[in-house]
């Protein structure tokens, strides 16, 4: 679904819960026709927020599922997380495609297309009374049925400082099963991340047994050495990140030397610069790896790519 | 909860859905007082079967949960599977203890005690109109709440032939994160098992990188060589199996030499006998490992331990 179709859908749908308010012109999409109340910037209320389940508003954010239906029983399902800003879901087509690939593999196909998710997100914005949110798309088995839901979380717009990286705790440090999909089996990354935060890090790394860096607990890892950008290749057990994909395209377009090639923890520690890439956080510079500072934090290559990425986000959402 | 208390609970509870029928004397517990309709042997109906959620009957087997409540969202929860025969849940105390340890680790504590699960199972038997079922206990996060459910599946009483073992597919072959708990992150074992069945095996093995055998996709693996019984130790990433625990006690009591000690795939292939142990299947002899036959299938040690295990099940449920 194109962003203009998304916006049209936002505006054409009934608004179940929100109060009317004076339409405000979106500061970022002056070219578009939309300025509905659903697109106003307003912080989301506290949980429980509404959710959209199989296309219908659930004001309490809940869904009824079979205990033994697969989804709850063993995490037989998939998710995607993406920002919605001023009613624009970032790179929705790419998220929908990745989710559809996972659905084929988990026998949850056919997955909804981007247009269907877009309609759900438009309805979610209306139900939440906000056009700025972090959206989660979910697809899961419920017995004979495959069901979909979209739910909202507050979109953090706080400017984050550079990230300090640690290692995932023993037992979670190695490659993850199903790392190439965002399945509902997500205790590993969540617990690894929580352990890292407890230890004073912003993010932790998963490694192969031989020390090859795979990815962060919530991000793709990029390193820069001698002007060359590197990130782990997709034949390693990593998530094919949407932001990773976009950044590789940006490097190609900008003529920045880039290689999808594994690198070790030592190489990362000895890099000139490094950054994390994730849908909700964009490009975030790395300051330290296991307590050891990198020579350049938010250095020239990181800064250039971050700027090009923001530009691309804005362009893609027009 | 002792089995007599369990049976008393079964009999004292109202019976929400079942029809009355002539009480029949249980052939296995003639010493007990119970002979309620809830304990009659009757095959379970097709899905959806009733479930008990937070102590209340849900005739449709469903539960309503927050999409972003933790349980569905990322499999933040635990389960146990155990047989209920003639109203007796096998080794319920041990299952409840294991689940409570996991609940501490996942911050889902305090977990329900065995008595609470026993009450739920009694209610489940009544709601299902059967006292023979495979029960699943589940504990999961739902936002601020921690919820519990018990659900029934048909109890297979078919005599299984000896098991042919293969290996888990690449990508799932290695140690599993959280293997020591039965979390709702269970796609790995399920997909590994399904791949094995598709390849003509009954069960597949997870291995360490160095070839050490960890466990089966649904079982603990025991091997016997030179009269000594061996199974992987609990400091490896394996499930502390309830049946494993009982069998170790049985070996000690029977004076059968037993060691909790890692062994390689080669050692297993070269064993005199081997068997699998699991709550729902008890002791099941292994016939082949990766197509290679073992010298003795259902050999003397396997047979003796299987007999002692059945005896122990009967004794523990009195």
């Amino acid at each position: 679904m194109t962003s203009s179709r998304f916006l049209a859908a936002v505006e054409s749908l009934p608004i179940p819960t929100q109060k009317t308010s004076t339409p405000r012109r979106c500061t970022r999409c002056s070219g578009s026709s939309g300025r509905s109340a659903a697109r106003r910037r307003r912080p989301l209320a506290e949980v429980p927020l509404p959710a959209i389940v199989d296309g219908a508003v659930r004001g309490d954010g809940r869904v009824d599922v079979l205990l033994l239906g697969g989804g709850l029983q063993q995490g037989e399902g998939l998710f995607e997380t993406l920002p919605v800003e001023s009613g624009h879901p970032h790179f929705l087509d790419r998220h929908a495609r990745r989710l559809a690939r996972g659905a084929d593999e988990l026998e949850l196909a056919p997955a909804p297309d981007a247009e269907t998710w877009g309609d759900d997100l438009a309805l979610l914005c209306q139900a939440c009374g906000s056009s700025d949110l972090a959206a989660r798309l979910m697809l899961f088995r419920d017995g004979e049925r495959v069901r979909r839901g979209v739910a909202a979380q507050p979109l953090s717009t706080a400017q984050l400082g550079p990230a300090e990286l640690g290692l995932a705790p023993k037992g979670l440090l190695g490659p993850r099963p199903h790392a190439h999909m965002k399945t509902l089996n997500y205790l590993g990354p969540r617990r690894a991340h929580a352990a890292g935060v407890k230890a004073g890090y912003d993010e932790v790394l998963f490694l192969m047994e031989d020390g090859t860096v795979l990815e962060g607990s919530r991000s793709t890892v990029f390193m820069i050495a001698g002007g060359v950008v590197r990130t782990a290749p997709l034949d390693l057990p990593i998530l094919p990140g949407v932001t990773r994909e976009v950044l590789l395209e940006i490097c190609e377009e900008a003529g920045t030397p880039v290689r999808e090639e594994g690198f070790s923890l030592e190489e990362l520690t000895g890099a000139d610069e490094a950054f994390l890439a994730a849908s909700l956080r964009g490009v975030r510079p790395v300051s330290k790896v296991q307590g050891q500072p990198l020579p350049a934090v938010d250095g020239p290559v990181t800064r250039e790519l971050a700027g090009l990425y923001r530009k691309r986000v804005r362009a893609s959402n027009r």
Side-chain angles (χ1 to χ4, degrees), chain A:
Chain A
M1 171 182 249
T2 63
S3 60
S4 60
R5 282 214 50 193
F6 178 87
L7 291 169
V10 167
E11 286 162 33
S12 69
L13 286 161
I15 300 180
T17 58
Q18 71 182 13
K19 298 171 203 154
T20 54
S21 71
T22 312
R24 289 195 305 172
R25 192 158 190 86
C26 171
T27 54
R28 288 177 53 199
C29 339
S30 51
S32 89
S33 62
R35 52 183 122 167
S36 80
R39 291 169 61 215
R40 73 188 182 280
R41 290 187 172 271
R42 193 178 83 174
L44 285 184
E46 288 304 294
V47 288
L49 289 167
I52 312 301
V53 176
D54 300 323
V57 177
R58 293 293 309 255
D60 56 2
R62 303 186 80 83
V63 56
D64 73 306
V65 296
L66 280 167
L67 264 172
L68 301 188
L72 179 62
Q73 181 189 3
Q74 56 197 10
E76 195 178 351
L78 298 153
F79 74 98
E80 293 286 331
T81 319
L82 68 166
V84 178
E85 285 191 291
S86 303
H88 304 294
H90 292 188
F91 301 115
L92 177 59
D93 285 350
R94 297 178 194 248
H95 285 283
R97 273 202 300 276
R98 180 169 68 186
L99 195 140
R101 286 197 302 271
D104 280 340
E105 193 167 337
L106 293 187
E107 297 177 8
L108 298 169
D113 57 16
E115 191 168 323
T116 304
W117 290 119
D119 291 343
D120 285 355
L121 289 172
L123 197 51
L124 183 68
C125 285
Q126 292 189 319
C128 293
S130 177
S131 56
D132 294 276
L133 46 85
R136 180 175 291 237
L137 321 180
M138 289 168 67
L139 188 76
F140 54 91
R141 180 166 299 289
D142 183 29
E144 297 297 306
R145 300 161 70 191
V146 175
R147 305 184 69 186
R148 72 177 197 274
V150 301
Q153 289 177 305
L155 182 64
S156 171
T157 51
Q159 195 60 43
L160 292 172
E164 300 193 16
L165 306 188
L167 297 187
K170 193 169 169 288
L172 296 174
L173 181 61
R176 291 187 298 115
H178 306 121
H180 61 293
M181 296 184 281
K182 287 178 88 83
T183 78
L184 301 182
N185 279 225
Y186 227 65
L187 275 183
R190 191 190 71 98
R191 299 189 79 216
H193 190 86
V197 168
K198 201 171 167 186
Y201 297 113
D202 297 296
E203 175 90 338
V204 296
L205 300 171
F206 295 105
L207 306 181
M208 295 292 281
E209 292 262 323
D210 66 3
T212 300
V213 174
L214 292 169
E215 58 192 349
S217 46
R218 296 183 174 181
S219 60
T220 304
V221 182
F222 286 77
M223 62 163 274
I224 298 129
V228 178
V229 178
R230 280 164 76 187
T231 194
L234 295 187
D235 55 5
L236 288 176
I238 61 166
L239 185 75
V242 163
T243 309
R244 174 189 183 281
E245 187 176 273
V246 173
L247 282 165
L248 290 174
E249 291 170 11
I250 285 172
C251 285
E252 292 291 343
E253 288 163 15
T256 307
V258 64
R259 293 210 300 262
E260 294 180 70
E261 184 184 82
F263 53 84
S264 67
L265 185 59
E266 284 71 40
E267 287 178 287
L268 177 62
T269 312
D272 300 329
E273 309 172 34
F275 62 86
L276 306 179
S279 290
L280 288 182
R281 298 298 195 186
V283 171
R284 186 181 184 187
V286 170
S287 57
K288 291 181 183 172
V289 181
Q290 286 194 288
Q292 196 167 320
L294 291 178
V297 179
D298 200 13
V301 182
T302 299
R303 197 177 301 213
E304 187 198 2
L305 293 176
L308 291 170
Y309 179 73
R310 283 192 298 272
K311 207 168 150 187
R312 182 73 172 263
V313 167
R314 287 196 297 270
S316 73
N317 289 328
R318 282 281 154 86

